[in-house]
Amino acid sequence: MSSYGVTIAGIGSYVPERVLTNAELETMVETTDEWIRTRTGIEERHIARPDEPCSAIACEAAKRALAAANLKPEEIDLILVATFTGDKTLPNTGCYLQHRLGAVNAASFSMEAACSGFIYGLEVGANMVRSGGYRRVLVVGAEKISSVVDWTDRNTCVLFGDGAGAVVLQRAPLGQDCLLAVKLGADGRYTELLQTPAGGSLQPLTAELVAQRANCIKMEGREIFKLAVNAMCDASRTALEQAGVTADQIRWVIPHQANLRIISSVGKYLGVPEEKVYVNINRFGNTSAASIPLALDELVRSGQVQSGDLLLLTAFGGGLTWGAAVVRW
Ligand code: ACO
């Protein structure tokens, strides 16, 4: 039972300064700019400094979201960081972010749903607000994927980038709710398709495993590709139906930026014209949990989203996990 509604009071995003181009990757692994562009749509991605952990990336996005909401860090009462590349396994990255931000009154935790993490985080954060327990919840999708990439594996190293996006969710009167519907899903039969095989309790790190780069991302790209389009489209249709909204009422579809061909297929199957499907994968690559808030922030800051616009967010990722959300801006 909800006691309150929820609004998005502010949004912000950040990417590290350093740009890694396809041309530079050509000098690192056996690949070409042409292969990367035609198979993925990616031209460049941003890579964090060695001294810039996930929480530092998250903090820049969070500061911008707070400034947009005109709020001080101490006014936040809950922080939720969606990431699979946190500063450490223990403690949680939310605590590192809380300290960096000076959000001294916030409970803090992190959660992991890979590239679907931001949509999962929105659903969790919104319900924390609706229940009445929290007034202002900071939901951040942040990743330093460069820290778990095998830079000798051309199958994966060309795909990912670092970055963060954040929103401040704020209590609103009951009946006023920006999140019209959310549909989440998962299928644990596919855990092996995208994983960091070692470094958890299943296979703790050893020197041998590190030498084999078993702590880095391994991916069955083609298998994921097939499952991704269906999962995103099914979740999107369900969320639209639950929200009582048709695809042609949507101002922007903001899909997780994993591959341009996946993004285009999702737009096509949902019957949404190309110009309403937002794409920035060319400049950032796949930033996992950061990708949707990063894209939404770009749209908001460039004035391409107006108050009242309907947005459809949809993502899939390791797990496999997926989700879709209908948002009224
Ligand atoms: N440069 C040149 N050649 C390459 C590269 C590269 N960087 N990478 C792979 N190849 C080669 C392969 O070795 C293969 O060669 P072969 O035929 O001689 O064996 C050939 O290109 C084709 O490989 P495929 O894997 O079949 O290529 P595909 O067209 O499927 O594209 C890709 C691969 C881009 C990974 C695609 O499958 C994809 O995007 N899948 C979805 C993956 C995804 O989105 N993952 C993220 C999930 S989100 C998360 O949770 C983090």
Side-chain angles (χ1 to χ4, degrees):
M1 269 293 286
S2 299
S3 304
Y4 296 95
V6 59
T7 58
I8 296 176
I11 182 163
S13 65
Y14 168 78
V15 287
E17 207 178 311
R18 157 103 163 91
V19 173
L20 176 64
T21 62
N22 290 350
E24 210 173 333
L25 279 164
E26 285 179 350
T27 68
M28 296 162 62
V29 286
E30 201 182 323
T31 191
T32 60
D33 170 53
E34 209 257 334
W35 192 97
I36 303 171
R37 268 190 297 106
T38 53
R39 298 289 181 122
T40 72
I42 302 168
E43 291 162 24
E44 57 188 38
R45 69 288 290 143
H46 291 248
I47 302 293
R49 298 186 309 269
D51 68 344
E52 198 177 22
C54 179
S55 65
I57 300 169
C59 191
E60 291 308 313
K63 280 185 199 161
R64 292 171 191 187
L66 285 173
N70 204 15
L71 289 171
K72 296 193 211 63
E74 52 271 30
E75 292 176 285
I76 296 295
D77 44 25
L78 181 68
I79 291 175
L80 195 173
V81 181
T83 185
F84 79 99
T85 53
D87 291 19
K88 294 181 187 176
T89 307
L90 175 75
N92 84 71
T93 303
C95 290
Y96 285 101
L97 174 59
Q98 186 225 33
H99 184 57
R100 282 181 186 275
L101 202 55
V104 290
N105 297 312
S108 300
F109 70 110
S110 59
M111 48 164 282
E112 206 272 273
C115 302
S116 314
F118 183 73
I119 295 182
Y120 269 66
L122 263 189
E123 174 77 327
V124 174
N127 281 314
M128 296 293 235
V129 173
R130 288 178 186 132
S131 70
Y134 301 87
R135 278 175 180 275
R136 296 186 191 97
V137 177
L138 178 68
V139 178
V140 190
E143 303 282 8
K144 184 177 179 178
I145 309 182
S146 60
S147 65
V148 292
V149 159
D150 176 354
W151 291 102
T152 65
D153 176 12
R154 71 175 182 175
N155 291 297
T156 52
C157 76
V158 303
L159 302 174
F160 298 100
D162 300 334
V167 292
V168 180
L169 300 178
Q170 185 160 265
R171 182 184 284 184
L174 192 61
Q176 276 180 35
D177 210 299
C178 68
L179 208 51
L180 304 191
V182 178
K183 172 65 186 166
L184 302 178
D187 192 337
R189 286 176 301 170
Y190 299 112
T191 47
E192 310 276 292
L193 292 187
L194 179 55
Q195 56 169 328
T196 51
S201 60
L202 181 66
Q203 212 177 5
L205 277 187
T206 61
E208 247 178 307
L209 286 166
V210 173
Q212 292 164 16
R213 299 193 178 86
N215 55 325
C216 294
I217 294 179
K218 303 277 181 278
M219 187 177 76
E220 303 291 334
R222 199 177 287 185
E223 291 308 309
I224 295 177
F225 196 110
K226 286 187 235 158
L227 295 161
V229 177
N230 283 339
M232 289 165 101
C233 288
D234 287 351
S236 295
R237 288 194 193 102
T238 305
L240 286 169
E241 201 182 307
Q242 280 173 9
V245 166
T246 55
D248 56 305
Q249 291 176 279
I250 294 293
R251 175 66 191 89
W252 286 106
V253 176
I254 306 176
H256 167 50
Q257 309 282 310
N259 182 309
L260 184 55
R261 291 182 294 153
I262 294 177
I263 295 170
S264 304
S265 303
V266 168
K268 200 173 84 192
Y269 292 133
L270 290 177
V272 175
E274 215 175 295
E275 61 277 10
K276 288 187 172 180
V277 180
Y278 193 65
V279 175
N280 65 8
I281 190 172
N282 52 320
R283 288 176 287 125
F284 301 117
N286 178 350
T287 58
S288 186
S291 109
I292 287 180
L294 188 54
L296 178 55
D297 186 42
E298 283 198 330
L299 280 169
V300 170
R301 280 175 199 266
S302 59
Q304 296 178 81
V305 174
Q306 306 299 327
S307 176
D309 281 351
L310 289 168
L311 312 171
L312 172 64
L313 321 179
T314 183
F316 74 96
L320 294 177
T321 56
W322 58 84
V326 180
V327 174
R328 190 192 302 280
W329 191 254

